[in-house]
Amino acid sequence: MKKIILLLALVFSANAAFSQYCAFYEFEAKNPEMVVNTLSKMMSTEWAKNIKGSKTLLQYVFDGDNTDTHVMQFCFPDEAAFQEFLISFESSTIAQLLGDKLNANINNISEWLGTPAWYQNDWSKDQVFMVWELEVSDTQTYANAFVPFAKKIMKKMNITNSMGLGYPILGQDSFSHFVWAGAPDVQTALKRTKQFYADPEFAKFSEQVGGIRKIVNTKLMIRVMDF
């Protein structure tokens, strides 16, 4: 968890009131029980307690050809909090020892830093996320189409979970943007996805962006635990 280099970025949506960063450490768990146990100990150290951000373990379900099974996600309110996180790991011997133990039980797949461009509602309350990974050639046009669509569909379906559009800043070259839709459980996430696809608003939105975006992958993320 030491390879990401700090890079400042501006959120392109005028609706975003502040910058926020989420670091994703994706891995394949050889022994899930051992991984959870080691992560729990790691997140109980003074190093982890002093992290100025959220700490969440999530499981991937149906992640295409990718071999990763889980992701450890750290989300930070600003650049300073992220920078402090990077520096602090180097100063904690116990965190590094537990990190070595963790690495013995996982295959590291990917590390990347992302930020939301626009979102609505608090994703920390959602237990399941439907995720679409996209390759977008015209960012502004896509955002101008997505945001009105998301607002309409959320209001129409009375969705109080989160929905948003984000993009990777560092460490990711397989997609340029990602869209997520939060839900309280898997059943609701799948049911809503079918409703999205069948809605006339989705057909209209797809026609608007069909020439500028390609869906690279879709998957479910299930919240395992918060630390």
Side-chain angles (χ1 to χ4, degrees):
M1 297 184 180
K2 302 181 275 189
K3 299 178 183 177
I4 292 182
I5 303 171
L6 180 62
L7 177 69
L8 305 185
L10 297 176
V11 174
F12 65 74
S13 171
N15 293 323
F18 57 93
S19 295
Q20 189 169 29
Y21 301 88
C22 287
F24 296 82
Y25 297 93
E26 299 173 318
F27 60 89
E28 178 186 16
K30 302 174 187 176
N31 184 336
E33 290 186 7
M34 178 65 74
V35 168
V36 170
N37 181 266
T38 304
L39 274 172
S40 296
K41 291 179 180 178
M42 198 171 179
M43 294 303 116
S44 297
T45 63
E46 287 303 310
W47 164 74
K49 291 177 182 178
N50 290 325
I51 293 174
K52 296 175 181 176
S54 63
K55 306 174 285 291
T56 304
L57 175 65
L58 300 115
Q59 179 183 357
Y60 285 148
V61 178
F62 293 104
D63 194 14
D65 294 331
N66 299 317
T67 59
D68 44 12
T69 59
H70 295 76
V71 58
M72 187 65 200
Q73 180 196 70
F74 298 86
C75 289
F76 308 93
D78 51 38
E79 295 87 2
F82 175 59
Q83 178 172 257
E84 185 176 324
F85 163 74
L86 292 182
I87 296 172
S88 66
F89 186 80
E90 299 291 346
S91 63
S92 175
T93 302
I94 183 64
Q96 292 184 51
L97 288 172
L98 287 168
D100 290 340
K101 182 177 180 181
L102 178 65
N103 287 333
N105 288 279
I106 66 174
N107 290 325
N108 288 301
I109 304 298
S110 179
E111 300 177 357
W112 60 281
L113 181 70
T115 188
W118 174 88
Y119 69 93
Q120 190 165 304
N121 299 335
D122 183 1
W123 70 67
S124 68
K125 299 178 181 180
D126 299 330
Q127 298 303 308
V128 177
F129 302 88
M130 181 69 185
V131 179
W132 294 263
E133 296 172 347
L134 315 170
E135 188 61 45
V136 177
S137 59
D138 186 336
T139 297
Q140 196 60 57
T141 298
Y142 185 85
N144 288 341
F146 174 79
V147 174
F149 159 71
K151 289 182 176 180
K152 285 181 183 178
I153 204 74
M154 292 178 78
K155 183 176 181 180
K156 184 176 183 179
M157 295 173 59
N158 194 30
I159 295 173
T160 58
N161 298 101
S162 69
M163 184 177 289
L165 170 66
Y167 59 97
I169 297 173
L170 294 168
Q172 183 58 260
D173 58 7
S174 60
F175 58 90
S176 66
H177 293 76
F178 58 95
V179 167
W180 78 88
D185 50 50
V186 172
Q187 178 180 343
T188 303
L190 295 177
K191 183 178 180 180
R192 284 179 181 168
T193 300
K194 289 177 65 177
Q195 291 174 323
F196 290 158
Y197 289 161
D199 196 281
E201 289 294 337
F202 181 79
K204 180 181 176 181
F205 165 70
S206 295
E207 186 176 354
Q208 287 178 290
V209 302
I212 62 170
R213 73 96 169 90
K214 175 184 177 182
I215 299 177
V216 178
N217 190 25
T218 57
K219 59 188 174 186
L220 279 177
M221 294 171 61
I222 299 175
R223 189 186 299 272
V224 177
M225 65 176 62
D226 295 304
F227 298 99

